[in-house]
Amino acid sequence: MTTCPFCGCNPFEYVDVGVGSVPVAVTCCELGHDYFTPPHQEASETVTISRHTFNSIADIFRSMRTLGLSPEIEL
């Protein structure tokens, strides 16, 4: 199962097509929507996040560094 790296939920809404379920829409948080939307669709080039989300991501990076992991981001 896929998990959104931002909110931790399964990001997709599924529809049963008779031989199984297929994802038809991204229904989790705003960041997850832009993360999981294919580039050829409506995903924007720029993502704006709230201060709370920004601080949460910083906390995750701080925790990773404490554990000896390297959350390097290439821009």
Side-chain angles (χ1 to χ4, degrees):
M1 179 170 82
T2 304
T3 302
C4 176
F6 303 104
C7 67
C9 296
N10 183 336
F12 300 108
E13 178 179 334
Y14 294 89
V15 171
D16 186 356
V17 293
V19 292
S21 296
V22 294
V24 293
V26 179
T27 57
C28 63
C29 64
E30 286 183 54
L31 291 174
H33 182 270
D34 274 352
Y35 184 77
F36 288 104
T37 299
H40 64 277
Q41 289 184 359
E42 64 198 53
S44 61
E45 283 293 316
T46 303
V47 177
T48 303
I49 60 174
S50 68
R51 174 58 68 176
H52 173 75
T53 301
F54 179 75
N55 290 341
S56 295
I57 292 170
D59 290 341
I60 292 166
F61 280 20
R62 186 178 304 109
S63 297
M64 289 177 73
R65 290 184 195 286
T66 300
L67 294 171
L69 302 172
S70 178
E72 297 303 322
I73 298 175
E74 293 183 30
L75 301 175

